[in-house]
Structure formats: structure tokens, C-alpha cells
Amino acid sequence: MLCVTDRTCPAGWKMFSCSCYLLSSVRGFWSTGRQDCRERGAHLVIINSLEEQKFFSTFTEEGSMSWIGLTDIDTEGTWKWIDGTPLTLSYWRRGQPDNGGGDPQWGEEDCAQFYTGSKTLNNWNDVLCDYPLKWTCEKNADV
Ligand code: CA
Ligand code: CA
């Protein structure tokens, strides 16, 4: 995962390994974030290593919540990254994903949020996709 070649990120994006990351300034539904990232030639953040999970825990402000590119909207309980890859490495909060726990107040929870805590690495939660949150776009750094 180390980026050995010289690469750069656009202004305002933060580099980690060979990727660039941008936190949105506004809030929107998960689908809004997905579309915004597409328009930037990027995708909602995909976390596929412990190193990236650790980096991302410091990238987002403590106590904040934001969308990541993970959903089980196609098949309930089958989580997939936005690029179609299945979820193999995961950092769910304790008791999550719970699909709302059957409480109608939360509805069907099919999109994943990153809930930045103080120390824990286990900070993902599934929530209603139509919930207003910030999101993070990720794309490959330019060579
Ligand atoms: Ca679900
Ligand atoms: Ca949940």
C-alpha cells in the first residue's frame, strides 16, 4: 500500500498512500455523496487496509459522522464497497450493522457511516441512506 512514486493531489485534497481524500463541505444523502464524488472523478471512500482505517480515523474530526462507500442496498446483510468488491476487512462498532434494530424510528439501514470516536478503530455504523451527512471522496493520486 506504500506509494513509492512521486504523486500529487489536487488543491484541498489530502494524500495518503497513493490516494487523495476530500471531505465535503456540505451534507447530503448517501446517493448525493456518491454522485458528487463521481463528478469529481472519484468515489466515496473505500477502506481496504488497517493503515487506511487508521489514517481515516484521523482525517475526520473526532465526534463527526460521514458517509463511506459501503452499502447493503442490493441484498440486505451483504455489504459491498462502491466499486463492487465484497467486504472482507471491516471495522464496525460493537453491535453494528444492525439494520436499525427493527426500530421504525431508524428505518432500513443500508448505508455505512464512519463515526469518528476518540480511540476506537471500530467506528462504522449502518444508517438510513437518506440521512444528511458529510461524505469523503477518494481517488488515485496523479502521477
Ligand atoms: Ca441493511
Ligand atoms: Ca446501525
Side-chain angles (χ1 to χ4, degrees), residues 95-101 109 125-127:
Q96 304 296 340
D98 65 352
N99 200 40
E109 298 187 329
N125 174 38
D126 57 336
V127 289

Side-chain angles (χ1 to χ4, degrees), residues 32-109:
T32 307
R34 178 177 59 181
Q35 184 61 28
D36 174 72
C37 292
R38 278 180 184 159
E39 287 166 8
R40 296 174 186 275
H43 53 78
L44 283 171
V45 63
I46 296 174
I47 297 166
N48 36 30
S49 70
L50 173 62
E51 291 70 29
E52 190 174 18
Q53 164 74 14
K54 284 180 176 170
F55 156 76
F56 201 64
S57 294
T58 62
F59 177 74
T60 49
E61 197 180 328
E62 186 178 328
S64 68
M65 295 180 283
S66 57
W67 293 123
I68 59 175
L70 183 65
T71 179
D72 77 337
I73 202 156
D74 289 342
T75 309
E76 175 54 36
T78 302
W79 290 88
K80 276 195 284 189
W81 290 109
I82 202 163
D83 65 355
T85 54
L87 182 64
T88 49
L89 188 65
S90 61
Y91 298 97
W92 295 108
R93 284 169 76 95
R94 182 191 291 221
Q96 304 296 340
D98 65 352
N99 200 40
D103 187 337
Q105 180 187 353
W106 306 119
E108 188 83 8
E109 298 187 329

